[in-house]
Amino acid sequence: MKHLLSLQSLSARDMRRILELAAKLKLERANPAHRPLEGQSWAMIFTKASTRTRVSFEVGVQELGGRVLYLSPRDTQLGRGEPIEDTARVLGRMVHGAIIRTYAQKEIEQFAAFSGIPTINALTDDEHPCQVLADLQTMQEVCGGYEGKKVVFMGDGDNNMSRSWMWAAEKLGFEFVICAPRGYLPPALFMKKFRSGNVSIETNPAKAVKGAHVLYTDVWVSMGQEEESARRMTDLVPYQINAALLKKARRNAVVMHCLPAYREKEITAEVLEAHADTIFQEAENRMHAQKAILALLGAK
Ligand code: CP
Ligand code: NVA
């Protein structure tokens, strides 16, 4: 494993290696012996806003013995149009790894190719792999594992979160149902890539959540989609996670959310608060899962 660019390109074996190490690093957080990034500098280039991802990576790199440089495109030449290929070749000669949050997936792929240093996807329009790895760690802790479980993704069924979940389910052997209205579903051509039978679509919420172990949701308006806000806020109303829907899932079903959450939109305040322990455990696990990724990519 040289980079972490997507779950589409990550093997099941590497996903399992990350999860195994994440559990160990979480247990042994206080152990000062885990410093595989000693002497390393990692760059963080974030074109989009972030709370969890930024803090968890900054703390994670530091805990592993490295240091971070947070580079906002606003203050670098990237913001004035310097191509990513040139930025990558410069940084590749100075830092040991890069963590990038941006719009186009192609940009992080170009960065990885031109820099030659380990590159991590901290969210693009296509995928949010670190979040799903942290969510799988949470499922291991809360649900006793992910294999054989049924996860239902409610809301915008064709965003970065749903796509990373699709690849995880395809490769790791659990059921993943996308529950969204027409217009918010992955295109048929993309669905053809999923041949395991683990990934499916159900537009009817009551049918989708039947037998579900996990109900998952994300914002209805992802970063970059602000202009579509009014339409999305209307179209997705029937796909809210609320107490009535939750009753139709498996008894003791778990509710998960990558955060930030918009109460009374994709999830009611009542359900969010009732499941806050799991939801904030997911947020914490960002740091543990990403420390595992950093350790595996950065170890010399
Ligand atoms: N879940 C997540 O990635 O949160 P941030 O946008 O705050 O990093
Ligand atoms: N789909 C959301 C995820 C935020 C963590 C977005 O891209 O804004």
Side-chain angles (χ1 to χ4, degrees), residues 4-253:
L4 182 70
L5 300 179
S6 62
L7 294 192
Q8 178 171 7
S9 59
L10 195 68
S11 67
R13 186 172 163 268
D14 282 338
M15 290 184 206
R16 291 196 186 98
R17 274 172 75 206
I18 292 167
L19 291 169
E20 204 174 302
L21 183 57
K24 181 175 150 68
L25 290 175
K26 184 170 182 175
L27 266 179
E28 299 173 7
R29 188 175 177 197
N31 182 352
H34 291 298
R35 291 177 71 83
L37 305 189
E38 191 81 62
Q40 295 191 11
S41 298
W42 281 63
M44 294 176 59
I45 305 173
F46 277 40
T47 309
K48 291 174 171 171
S50 169
T51 299
R52 280 147 288 271
T53 310
R54 176 173 176 177
V55 175
S56 54
F57 268 116
E58 290 205 20
V59 174
V61 170
Q62 280 162 24
E63 288 194 0
L64 295 176
R67 58 188 296 271
V68 284
L69 296 87
Y70 185 81
L71 305 172
S72 159
R74 270 192 305 281
D75 318 319
T76 62
Q77 298 292 0
L78 271 172
R80 299 180 68 245
E82 184 168 19
I84 194 79
E85 299 91 312
D86 294 355
T87 307
R89 281 178 282 188
V90 173
L91 293 188
R93 288 159 189 258
M94 297 181 185
V95 299
H96 301 85
I99 300 154
I100 304 180
R101 169 171 283 206
T102 191
Y103 294 87
Q105 178 74 21
K106 195 164 161 243
E107 249 182 61
I108 57 161
E109 283 171 9
Q110 279 176 324
F111 186 97
F114 279 85
S115 68
I117 53 173
T119 303
I120 300 176
N121 178 351
L123 182 147
T124 61
D125 291 345
D126 287 15
E127 280 217 31
H128 196 1
C130 297
Q131 178 72 53
V132 170
L133 288 164
D135 294 338
L136 292 169
Q137 182 178 4
T138 312
M139 277 184 75
Q140 285 182 322
E141 296 166 349
V142 176
C143 311
Y146 47 77
E147 270 154 33
K149 297 288 190 298
K150 177 175 178 180
V151 178
V152 180
F153 189 96
M154 300 292 308
D156 180 4
D158 190 26
N159 70 10
N160 41 17
M161 282 305 308
S162 68
R163 287 197 176 207
S164 286
W165 270 110
M166 288 167 81
W167 290 112
E170 178 75 3
K171 296 181 189 195
L172 293 179
F174 60 91
E175 190 182 349
F176 183 66
V177 180
I178 298 164
C179 184
R182 286 180 212 297
Y184 296 85
L185 296 169
L189 202 62
F190 184 69
M191 286 302 293
K192 281 215 171 80
K193 296 179 198 261
F194 299 87
R195 292 153 191 251
S196 64
N198 298 343
V199 179
S200 63
I201 287 171
E202 171 55 65
T203 55
N204 180 320
K207 278 192 194 159
V209 303
K210 201 162 177 276
H213 298 85
V214 175
L215 299 196
Y216 198 100
T217 193
D218 181 15
V219 296
W220 286 345
V221 182
S222 286
M223 291 179 276
Q225 299 175 329
E226 290 75 11
E227 280 178 10
E228 300 171 17
S229 188
R231 173 167 64 80
R232 289 172 165 271
M233 290 297 171
T234 314
D235 293 349
L236 294 171
V237 168
Y239 295 83
Q240 181 188 67
I241 297 186
N242 52 39
L245 185 71
L246 191 53
K247 273 209 192 88
K248 300 189 168 91
R250 189 178 279 264
R251 211 163 55 86
N252 300 330

